[in-house]
């Protein structure tokens, strides 16, 4: 009976408002949905780790169907910056919301913000996670000392090969124990 | 005359962009692979800093970072002649790299204390990255000073570049540079007049022509 009335109403007045509901549902994106979506975006240069693992997402604000995300580049000259921005916008658009992505050019991100899971993912992918940020800037003596662990064998018998590496955020070290060169995430 | 906020941003942005371009000239031809990687990476960082600084200036001036970086006339650039010099010789490259980073650190320290919150925040971010450039330059200075041949080459290069390095900073900050360089180097510095900002070398014109060739080949913009 209900079905018959409903069918009659549809015939008379067009589809019920509920059938337009995708748009309304979409406006109910929560901040948690956005965080979940961002956690699916791999870092363009180290795909083993997500943008959320990397700790670069600094703010997620949802207002009706508009989602504002602010993130910091790891390095200002990171060539992946635009890609990251586009990926964030696409992820928000896929949730049916309107993205507004802001890149923060300040000192609010540090490698200390990489999550414990992120650090473990880095290590498993062959990147030594960054040393903690200290009050004073790192010195050559520190970087040349054998305190950095090889991500492959765990030995501290590693030496600095080059302060710079394939991307701005990494330097190159060599493990004397397992004789493997590896990439060390710089402390920022 | 008091410089405007945009002037200050453009001075630093232009220094970073032009020196970044000069550093990138080592890509593929540095005397060793490690330095090829290092100078390419440093170039990338400096140009990244330039972009962030241009973006801040562009908002104040109602234009875009690309337009500021690539569409001005050569005389409109505010970079110091120091960064324009094309020195494809290793000791001079290292001397300029170290002198530049030393002067840049002094400038960044002063900007980090700026009452302008946006400038101070950006300077703090840039400074974190520059730490690695300084360490790299310092490592090379130590290496050159560790033997007589290297020391002599470094001294010759510093003496030649010193007037240009002095011209990177204004009257207020210049004495700090003199003090730091004196403390770090075991030889006397020549007593010279600075080659200050506001004048350009012929090398800048050539650099700009090359740097802007692609953009100017498609003035209406191109889809990549």
């Amino acid at each position: 009976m209900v079905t018959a009335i409903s069918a009659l109403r549809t015939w008379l007045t067009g589809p019920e408002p509920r059938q337009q509901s995708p748009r309304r549902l979409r406006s109910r994106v929560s901040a948690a949905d956005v965080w979940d979506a961002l956690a699916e975006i791999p870092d363009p240069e180290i795909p083993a780790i997500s943008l959320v693992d990397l700790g670069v997402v600094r703010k997620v604000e949802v207002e009706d169907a508009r989602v504002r995300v602010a993130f910091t580049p790891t390095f200002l000259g990171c060539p992946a910056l635009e890609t990251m921005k586009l990926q964030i916008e696409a992820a928000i658009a896929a949730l049916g919301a309107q993205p507004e992505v802001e890149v923060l050019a300040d000192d609010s991100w540090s490698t200390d913000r990489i999550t414990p899971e992120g650090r473990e993912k880095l290590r498993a992918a062959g990147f030594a996670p960054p040393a903690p940020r200290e009050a004073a800037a790192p010195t050559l003596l520190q970087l040349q000392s054998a305190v950095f662990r090889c991500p492959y064998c765990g030995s501290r018998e590693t030496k600095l090969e080059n302060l710079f590496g394939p991307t701005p955020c990494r330097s190159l070290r060599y493990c004397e124990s397992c004789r493997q060169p590896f990439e060390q995430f710089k402390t920022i | 005359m008091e410089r405007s906020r945009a002037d200050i941003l453009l001075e630093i942005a232009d220094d970073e962009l032009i020196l970044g371009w000069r550093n990138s000239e080592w890509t593929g031809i540095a005397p060793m692979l490690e330095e090829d990687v290092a100078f390419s990476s440093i170039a990338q960082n400096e140009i990244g800093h330039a972009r962030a600084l241009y973006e801040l200036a562009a908002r104040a001036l109602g234009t875009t970072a690309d337009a500021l970086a690539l569409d001005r006339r050569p005389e409109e650039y505010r970079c110091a002649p120091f960064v324009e010099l094309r020195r494809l010789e290793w000791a001079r490259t290292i001397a300029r790299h170290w002198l530049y980073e030393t002067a840049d650190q002094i400038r960044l320290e002063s900007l980090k204390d700026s009452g302008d919150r946006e400038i101070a925040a950006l300077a703090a971010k840039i400074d974190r990255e520059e730490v690695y450039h300084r360490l790299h330059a310092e490592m090379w200075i130590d290496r050159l000073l560790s033997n007589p041949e290297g020391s002599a080459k470094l001294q010759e290069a510093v003496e030649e570049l010193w007037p240009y390095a002095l011209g990177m900073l204004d009257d207020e900050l210049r004495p700090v540079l003199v003090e730091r360089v004196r403390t770090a180097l075991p030889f006397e510095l020549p007593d010279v007049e600075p080659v200050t900002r506001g004048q350009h070398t012929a090398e800048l014109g050539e650099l700009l022509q090359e740097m802007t060739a692609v953009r100017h080949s498609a003035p209406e913009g191109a889809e990549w």
Side-chain angles (χ1 to χ4, degrees), chain B residues 31-107:
Chain B
M32 58 206 84
L33 183 59
E34 295 305 313
E35 290 310 310
D36 203 311
V37 171
F39 269 86
S40 305
S41 199
I42 292 169
Q44 192 181 331
N45 287 338
E46 302 293 27
I47 293 169
H49 301 164
R51 177 174 63 185
L53 290 156
Y54 284 132
E55 273 166 9
L56 215 51
R59 265 194 278 140
L61 298 169
T63 177
T64 65
D66 279 344
L68 287 173
L70 304 168
D71 293 343
R72 283 176 297 157
R73 292 191 304 275
E75 63 273 19
E76 290 177 296
Y77 282 77
R78 289 158 202 269
C79 48
F82 188 39
V83 298
E84 300 171 10
L85 303 174
R86 187 173 195 189
R87 300 271 173 208
L88 285 181
E89 190 272 329
W90 194 245
R92 282 174 179 75
T93 298
I94 293 301
R96 174 170 58 188
H97 175 38
W98 180 76
L99 288 167
Y100 180 85
E101 297 301 346
T102 307
D104 193 38
Q105 180 175 19
I106 295 166
R107 180 164 68 182

Side-chain angles (χ1 to χ4, degrees), chain B residues 125-142:
Chain B
K125 173 76 174 164
I126 291 176
D127 196 39
R128 294 266 177 213
E129 301 181 11
E130 295 287 358
V131 165
Y132 291 94
H133 299 189
R134 279 175 224 143
L135 294 177
H136 174 258
E138 190 189 309
M139 190 184 75
W140 267 101
I141 294 295
D142 289 349

